[in-house]
Structures are given as structure tokens and as C-alpha cells.
Amino acid sequence: MIKDEFKFIGKNKLILVSVLVIILIPFLYSIFFLKSVWDPYGDTQNLPVAVVNLDQPVTYQGKKLNVGEQTVNKLKNNKKLGWHFVSKAQADKGMKANKYYTVITLPKDFSKNAATILDEHPRKMDLKYQTNDSLNYIGQVISGIGLNALNSEIRANVTNAYASAVFDQIKNIGKGMKNAADAATQIDEGQVKLDDGIDQYTVAVSQVNDGIQTMKVKVSPMSSQIPQLASGANQVASGLQTLNGSTTQLASGVGQLANGSNQVTNGLGTLQSKTGTLSSGVGQLASGSNQVTSGLGTLQSKTGTLSSGVGQLASGSNQVTSGLGTLQSKTGTLSSGVGQLATGSNQVTNGLGTLQTESGQLANGITQLQTGSASLTTGVKNYTDGVTSLSKGIDQLAGSTGSLATDTNSLATGSSDLTNGLQQLSGSVDSQNKQAVESAAELQESLTKYEATLKAKTNQDPDLVAGFEQLETNINALMTQTESSGTSLSTTLNQKLIPGSKKVSDGLTTLNQRVPTLTAAITGLQNGATKIISNNDQLVTGTNSLNSGINQLATKAPSLVDGVSQLYSGSGKVSGGLSTLNGQIPTLTNGVSQLYSGSGQVSGGLNTLNSQIPTLTNGVSQLYSGSSQVSGGLTSLNGQIPTLTNGVSQLYSGSSQVSGGLSTLNGQVPTLTNGVSQLANGAGQVANGVGQLNANVPTLVSGVNQLADGTSQITAQSGTLKSGSTQLKNGDKKFAKTLSSSAKKVNGITVTSDTKKMFAAPTKMSHKHYSYVPNYGHALAPYVLSLALYVGALVFNFAYPIRKVSKADGTATQWFFSKITIGAVVAVATAIVEATLMMAVGLNVDHVGQFYLTAILFSLTSMYLIMFLSMAFDNPGRFLAMVGLMLQLGGSGGTFPMELTNQFYNIIHPFLPMSYSIMNFRNAITSGIASNTVTLGYIVIIAFALGSLLLLWITMILLQRYHKMGISQLDDNQKLQAVEK
């Protein structure tokens, strides 16, 4: 029955074609699908993503921070996505029109938020992006991946900026540590002085102890000396009695002293009332002096700018003058060349006029030659002579015009260069004028302010004011002269030289364009004359060709006359244009001379001004220095006024107190007198007290002894104090040394761009491939190849009459082998064709043998499984095969890892043959799959194939037993259609 099965296919052409097409279906399915997604991640530069930069730069740690601009500049060199840098309105419009998959917006506070890192409440940088997921979800996923990389890059850049700030702070800390180390060194030096002071203290304590000990020794004799004190007290009492008798004279003197003190107090009161006026005047004087000094400081700070600006202006003016001198020196050559060109053109025109006249005679001669043969010999002779002369003239003309094109081209190029040079010169003159006017305006404003300051001061030196006004007048005159000269120079360039130069250039360009026509016409004329001369011999020696030669000559003569007329007309125009150009040369030369003369005057004035700048600068510096000294002295005086005022006030107050005291004293003199009496009485009591003191001398001696014991103890502890001071000194020295060493380490940190990059991005990824998949097409190929082989087997069982019996008297086993044989041939052919052609179109395979083996085994498994379902259940079986296809689409793990799919597909995954074919295809194409996994895959695929064959055989036996061999719902499609109707 196997042979009969193949005979059936051979006889039925439609079945044969169907089988052959079915063999190609898996390849077509695979190639069309895989090529459409072969390398989508390699073409992401074509994915349009809009970028809107609204960021505004800020200043961070004294440096400009512009994260938005930096990001855009990096994206312009980034080819991972198709970046489109547009405005917000364009981005919104493009998103609505489905032009962009993603719109990235850098808000206006992007850099501002980046600079809040050290604020109390820092704000995050908000990188906004909007996606149109409906346009294509994978597109937004790819753009999201690109955005994550962009976000990481922005983080690295911002962290780099933060690192710069941190390292700057570390440098500041290092400077602070160095200062602290210097301070610690000073502390150590102070501790040394303290240690020396303690040495002096211990010595002093020792001396005090010695003194106390001496005092102890000296107190002992007091018991004998106190009686002498009592005797002295008695003498004092006697003297007080004498004083009591003289108190009357004391009362008179105190009265006179009180009157004099009142007069002193009144004078001091008058002085005190005037101190306020003195303080106010000195304060105003100091304030005015400070204002003068400040104004002079401002003037002094501007002298450098003035000197630099005037120097630049003088240098630029000298360059302009030098360039104009060069230009002036070339105008003579230009005028001479244009004159020679005009003369030569006139000569060409005259020659062409003569030629035009001769061409008319030539035409007449030809006419006479045609009308009369009587003058044949004479006409031929005249003709040959005339042609020879004409040829010589044409040769001379051609020789004269050989270099005409080169000369006019060079002249046009030189004229164009001249126009460009004048335009650049005009721009330079305008720029220099503008810079000079701005610098002079700043100087004039500074001088006006300072002049107002000078005039506002009282008691100002008139010579200083007059000299300053004269300086301002000279500068204003210089400004006016500079501005006038610059304006005149710019006007001459823009209104005379540049337009004239453009006219010359345009005329020369037109002349240059017409020279090829003139040269070509002369060349054609020269060639024609040469041909005519070459025919003269034939004209003289043979009359047989006379008529034909005359006719050809008559035919060519009108063209010759027309060409000469056109040449003559064009030459006249050239001569007219050159005459016009030559007439404008004096105007050009005169304008350049005036420009050169005016520029020389400007340069001279600027050089004179530049030479006087150092004198002005020196005078301002001296004035500023003297004013600073005056201001310093007045400030010191003003600072002492309060002290003077306070002293006068205190003096007045003290004098008042003295006057009051003397008045009080005068009033108390009686009391004093009375007191003296009481003092005399008290002296007696003192004598009595001395007696009592004598009685207490032993107690005094005891106290001195205790004091001596205390000083001895202090002296004994001086060593401990000295030891502590030494330890403190050593500790300070060690602290200063350690702090200095730490400062050196901190300041020794070298920060480079690589350091900042390391700080911003301390890690890097090193990707090593255990197995390498070059692109998305290779990654998806195992899934698509398996799917295509399954679809091919499914299509075959739809199209091929699987239940048909090729031989009626055959057994079920024969029927079984006939069907599995044709199925095996189709399956193996499909697998080989698909595998071979896929490698031919670009699929790289690591293990070719394993690749073919997997394709063949899975193709056979799919064929026998679907054949079993179709044989057993007919159309419902084919439907079950389609359900199996759908289950394998989601449960075989061909696209996403099974760990990412839901639980149902993870449950059915081990029971699907495509799960194992995909794994084995992956190992065959890109390696990397464990050998035991590959072996298990082959075992499962073969087990599915054998199980399907066994079930198919049993099914076919049952179909034969119940006489359903060859019966299928596909055999009678007309009935199926009738049922549908």
C-alpha cells in the first residue's frame, strides 16, 4: 500500500502540488515572521522620541550648572534612540499625530533642583516622560529602557558635579585643618611661655615664702617695739593740740579756694557746650574725605580699563591704516591694468570692424564670381590673396585673445576679493568705533561722577578742580574726534568704496562670462580660414569643381558675415564696459587715499592718547594715595572726638564736684575745727589703744607663724605644678604635629576628572557571555521554527485525505505504514528544507547536526500527533490539534521565561512537546543548554512520536474493524455546503 499511496499522489497533480507547497510553508512562515523582527533592538535609532528642554541654568558652588543642556548635548551623540529635539508645542502636536512614541521633558527647574543637594529640604530632579502605549507597547518598553539609561547617565553627571563640590569642601577642610595646625603650633608656643611663667611663679612663691619666713623672724621683736609706738602716739596727741590752735587760718584759705574752683567750673561748662559742634564738624570732614577717597579709588580702578581700551583702539587703528596703505599702493596697478585692458579691447573692436568690412567685400566678390565667369582668373587670384590676408589677421586676433579669459577671470576674482576685503574692513571699523564709543562713554561717566564729587566738597583745591575740568574737556574732544573719524571712515567705505567695488566686480563677471563666446567665435573663424586656404590649390589647378566650390563658398559666406557682425557687436560691448570701469578707477583710488589719510590721523591721535594714559594713571594713583592718608587721619581724629568730648565732660563734672566739695568743705570748716579738737582727744585714746595692741602682739606672732606654714606648703607643691605644665606642653606639641600631618594628607589629595567620575560611578559592569545570542531573530528562531513545523504538519493533515485507502483489500497495518511513510517523507522534507533555507538566509547555527536532528524529530512528532488526532476524530481531531497549537503558543516558553507566565502555563509546560524542541533548538543554534536537558528533550520528543504512532496504529485497526476506512467529513464538501444553505 505504500507504493499505491505514492502512485495516488503522482496521479493527482493537485495533491502533488499541495504536498510540495506544504513542504515550503514552514520555511515561508519562519522567514516572513523572523525577518520582520530579526534585530529590532539593533534599529532602535529609528524609534522617534521627542526631547523638550525647558531647563534653565543656575549657579552652583560658584560654577554654572546646566544639566539640561549637558543632557541634550550627550543625546545628540547617542544613537540608541531616534532623538528629536523640539519645542513643547511641537512635541504635543507630534504626540497627537502619532509621530512620537515617547516625549521626554526636562522641566525648567531641572538644574535648580540639582543644586538643592545641600539644602535643608533638597528637591529631586523630575525627569518627565509621556508615552503612547497604544501606538506600540514594545516601542514604549524600548524607549523606557533608553530612559533608564539616560536617567543613570544624568545621575552620574549630577553626582560628578556633587563630587566636585564635595572635593572643594574637602580642600576647604584641609585649609581649615592647616589653619588649626598653625593655631595649635601657636598654642604650643604659648604653652612654652606658660611653662616659663610657672617657673617664674614657683620662684616667686619661693621668694614669698622666704619673705614670710623673714616676717616671722621680724615679728618677734615687736613686743619690745610697741612701747616705742605708744610714745609716738603721745607725741601725735601733742601735735594735734597745736593744730587745733591754727584752724582759724584754715577756714579763711578754704573760702578763697572755693571761689577759684567755681570760676574754673564755669569755664569748663562753656568748653563742654562747644564739644558737640567740634564733633559734628570733624565727622563731616572725615565723611567728605572718605567720599573723595572712594571716588578716587573708583577712578583709579578704571584707569587700567582705560589704558587697555585705548591701547587696543590704537593698535586696531594702526592695523586699519596699514591695510589701507597696502590697498592704496595697489590702486595704481589696478588703474594701469584696467587701462591696458580697455586699450586692448578697443584694438580688438577696431580689428573686428575692419574684418566686418572685409567680409562684406568677400560676399560681393563671391556674388560676382557666381554671376560672371569672364573674370574667373582674376577673381580666383583676388580671392586667394584675400583669404590668405584674412587668415593672417584671424591668427593675429586669436593670438591676442589667448590670455583674455585668464586675465578677465583673474581680474573678476581680484575685484570680488577687494569687495569682500572692504566689507570685512567696514565691519572691523564699525566694531572698533562701537568699542571706542562705549569705552569713552564709561570713562566720561566716571569723570562726571568724580567731578560732581569734587565740586560738592567745601574748601576744595581750585587747581585740582580746574585741572580735572581741563582733563574732561580734552577727553570729550578726543571722543568727538574719534567718533567723527570712525563715522566718516565707515561712511566712505559703505557708500563709496564697497558699492563701487561691487559694480566693478559685476562688470568683470559679465565680461568674463562673454569671453568664452568671443574666443570660440575667433577659433571657429580661424579654423574656417584654414580650411579655405587648404582648398585654394584645388581652386587654382582645377576648374572642374569650380561650380560646386563657388556654391559652397556662397553658402558659407552669410554665416561668416553674421559671425563677424556678432563678434564685432560683442567686442564693442566689452570695450564699452572696460571704458566705464576705467572711468571709475580714479574715484576708487581717490576714496582709498582719503580713507588712508583719515585712518592715519585717527592712529596718530590714538597713539598720543595712549602715550598720556600712564601720566593720567600715575596722577590718579598719587591723588588716591594722598586722599587715603587724609581720610585715615580724619578718621583717627573723628574716632578720638568722643574721647575728647567725654574727657571735657568728665573734667567739667569733676570740677563741679571739686567746687561743690570745696563749698561743702568751707561749710564744714567749723566742724573740722571741732573735729580737730575731737582728734586731739582721740589721740589720747590712740595711746590707750596702742597699749592694748602691745597686749595682743603674741596673737600676731601666732598668725604669722601659720602664714609661714601655708607658704611652705605652696612651695612644696610647685614641683607638681611644674610637672603638669610640662605634660600639657608635650601634649600640645603632639596635637599640633598630628593636626599638621592630617592637614598635609587632606591637602595632598589629588582630584582629577577620573576621581570625580569614580565618585559618581564607582562600579562598572563587565558582561561575559556564557552563550551568545546575536539578535532578537536568533533568540526567537527556536520558537518560530518549532511553531512553523507544527503548522506545516497541521496544514498537511488539513489538505491531504488522511483517511483515504489506496488499496481496498489491504490490512490495517499496511494502511498504517502507508500513511506514516508519506507523513514521514513530508515531515523530513519540511524539516530539511526549513533548516537549510533558514541557514542560507542568515541564521547562524553552532551545532548544524543537532539543528537538523531536532528539526527532523520534532517535525515527525508533530506530523504523527496531528495525524493520530485527524485519523481518530476527523475534523474534531483537527480542531484538537489547533487547540494544542494554541496551548503550546503560551506554555512552551518560546518568548518569555516560564517564571514570568501564569501558573496554568507553568503546569502544562512539561507536557508540551514544543517545550523540548525549543530548548534543543536553542542549544543547537547558540549553545548554552545543559547536556542532560538536551538529552531529556530528545527522549521526550521521541516518546511523543512513538506514543502518537502507537495510538495511530490502534485507531486505524479500530476504523477498519468498524468499516470506517476511507470515510471522512472532508470527502463530501458539497454536502457540507448544502447543510450550510
Side-chain angles (χ1 to χ4, degrees), residues 141-165:
V141 171
I142 293 175
S143 59
I145 294 173
L147 281 171
N148 290 333
L150 173 62
N151 189 32
S152 300
E153 192 168 353
I154 292 174
R155 288 183 178 181
N157 291 336
V158 174
T159 307
N160 195 324
Y162 292 160
S164 298

Side-chain angles (χ1 to χ4, degrees), residues 968-981:
S968 174
Q969 295 174 355
L970 296 179
D971 295 339
D972 199 354
N973 289 332
Q974 297 299 324
K975 291 182 179 180
L976 290 176
Q977 293 176 5
V979 171
E980 291 176 359
K981 292 178 180 179

Side-chain angles (χ1 to χ4, degrees), residues 759-770:
F759 192 88
T763 62
K764 70 174 182 178
M765 291 191 299
S766 297
H767 182 194
K768 182 180 180 181
H769 294 279
Y770 178 73

Side-chain angles (χ1 to χ4, degrees), residues 60-61 112-123 161-170 172:
Y60 177 67
Q61 296 291 331
K112 181 179 179 181
N113 289 346
T116 62
I117 181 66
L118 299 179
D119 293 354
E120 182 178 358
H121 301 289
R123 295 184 296 276
Y162 292 160
S164 298
V166 169
F167 283 120
D168 289 341
Q169 294 299 324
I170 290 177
N172 292 333

